[in-house]
Amino acid sequence: MITAPTAPSMGHPITASTRLVAILGHPVRHSRSPEMHNAAFTAQGVDMVYLAFDVAPQGLAGAVDGIRTLGLAGANVTVPHKEAVLPLLDSVDAVARRIGAVNTVVNEAGVLTGHNTDMHGFLMALERGWGQSPKGSRCLVLGAGGAARAVVAGLLSTDVAEVYVYNRTGERARELCGAARGWGGAACRPVADGDLEYVVGNVDLIVNATSVGLPESGPAAGADEFKASPIPVDMVKQHHVVMDLIYGPEPTALLRHARSTGGLAFDGLEMLVQQAARSYELWTGRTAPLETMRGQVSDF
Ligand code: NDP
């Protein structure tokens, strides 16, 4: 009997009815998403495969059109396409529009809808790491890029007491807090350099959403590349809860210091899993097998 071929990392047969989900990025070869999603498809007997495509910026429009033409179930979109993809889609949901970035595309009969699952992933990972909701807490977000926008939107959706944003380029922090007016009940306040120490001393939660601490060669690089911190680490005390969106084989300098004080500190690996799980649910309509997905990145 002839059986359908299977890709090396997968356990279910690929047939003419198997549907494709793609990740579009540049670069993309470091992505752990194919492992997480293919393991989840196999675990639940979902007839889909997930493959990575290195798409340069000038090829993005063609690739998005390919989602329609080839009838893909959907796609993930990653750096550097998360903002550029918005005008190429038929619709964009409210969260993704608020954040200004799409990381997940769902194809329903040729109609492409953009979503952003980073906010959901952040909130789920924060609650799991902290063991409680951030409701009522004073929060400092470091950074003002796409990840910081998802974090600020997430925190403001949960009735936090206040959100401060500190960024190397102060203008971007001011812009983010301006945009965040109306995202939730709490105020969002940009932090000037001179006020940083005071603000750090008065917050409960610190979230690093900058790329500082991420080695040049990506999250899988060696330990001694994780050195820098977006704020002087000795400002961080035992009472702080610290979440660093960066994940890798070794903790960042910020996480290392926070742990050395005896405080609670965790990285962004669970956020990676949770945002993937939400994307999976959008494509399949099923609850994602979280333990299976975690198992694929447990070496990080
Ligand atoms: P962006 O490029 O959009 O933003 C980068 C941010 O880092 C900006 O605020 C930038 O400040 C700041 N920054 C960069 N270099 C420096 C520096 N040398 N000193 C001080 N600040 C600096 O990136 P993203 O928002 O997409 O991602 C940020 C981080 O979050 C990345 O490390 C990424 O890997 C991680 N991430 C993790 C996820 C997860 O699932 N765990 C999901 C998404 C992101 P400025 O405005 O001044 O340039």
Side-chain angles (χ1 to χ4, degrees):
M1 190 179 89
I2 299 171
T3 51
T6 60
S9 62
M10 298 179 340
H12 65 281
I14 297 172
T15 70
S17 49
T18 303
R19 295 197 72 196
L20 177 62
V21 179
I23 178 167
L24 314 178
H26 184 67
V28 80
R29 296 295 162 218
H30 63 281
S31 174
R32 303 299 295 269
S33 296
E35 290 155 74
M36 281 193 286
H37 287 293
N38 285 317
F41 292 149
T42 299
Q44 296 193 329
V46 173
D47 192 13
M48 292 184 182
V49 290
Y50 187 109
L51 293 175
F53 293 90
D54 194 323
V55 176
Q58 63 273 23
L60 182 63
V64 171
D65 221 24
I67 297 174
R68 290 190 189 90
T69 313
L70 303 177
L72 271 63
N76 276 138
V77 182
T78 188
V79 177
H81 304 313
K82 285 183 176 185
E83 289 93 23
V85 78
L86 264 79
L88 303 173
L89 303 173
D90 299 301
S91 67
V92 173
D93 81 4
V95 169
R97 196 162 289 288
R98 176 172 289 186
I99 295 167
V102 160
N103 74 340
T104 304
V105 176
V106 176
N107 180 12
E108 281 165 310
V111 177
L112 303 187
T113 304
H115 304 264
N116 188 306
T117 66
D118 282 340
M119 180 181 115
H120 171 87
F122 163 71
L123 286 174
M124 297 297 286
L126 177 64
E127 288 213 27
R128 185 179 157 93
W130 195 353
Q132 65 175 70
S133 154
K135 193 173 170 184
S137 60
R138 292 159 298 173
C139 313
L140 171 62
V141 178
L142 308 175
R149 288 178 75 91
V151 168
V152 169
L155 291 171
L156 289 174
S157 74
T158 62
D159 274 343
V160 292
E162 48 200 351
V163 175
Y164 294 93
V165 177
Y166 176 69
N167 191 50
R168 173 180 62 178
T169 309
E171 182 56 28
R172 293 188 77 198
R174 289 191 286 279
E175 274 169 24
L176 170 48
C177 285
R181 250 179 245 128
W183 289 2
C188 179
R189 297 194 174 90
V191 179
D193 287 333
D195 297 332
L196 179 63
E197 188 162 9
Y198 176 79
V199 170
V200 173
N202 283 285
V203 295
D204 312 298
L205 172 71
I206 300 172
V207 180
N208 178 28
T210 74
S211 43
V212 183
L214 185 73
E216 288 284 303
S217 39
D224 35 329
E225 293 180 66
F226 288 85
K227 280 182 188 144
S229 170
I231 56 172
V233 291
D234 52 11
M235 287 184 186
V236 177
K237 309 290 185 208
Q238 189 184 10
H239 75 270
H240 288 118
V241 173
V242 178
M243 177 172 177
D244 199 323
L245 265 45
I246 294 172
Y247 52 88
E250 292 294 325
T252 58
L254 182 67
L255 281 190
R256 262 200 317 272
H257 173 81
R259 285 175 185 160
S260 76
T261 67
L264 179 61
F266 45 93
D267 70 11
L269 190 60
E270 180 66 14
M271 176 174 167
L272 177 78
V273 172
Q274 293 284 355
Q275 60 79 29
R278 182 76 192 117
S279 300
Y280 180 93
E281 288 166 8
L282 288 166
W283 299 316
T284 66
R286 292 169 185 246
T287 302
L290 275 169
E291 282 310 322
T292 299
M293 297 176 92
R294 282 191 192 109
Q296 297 302 307
V297 291
S298 59
D299 57 319
F300 257 174

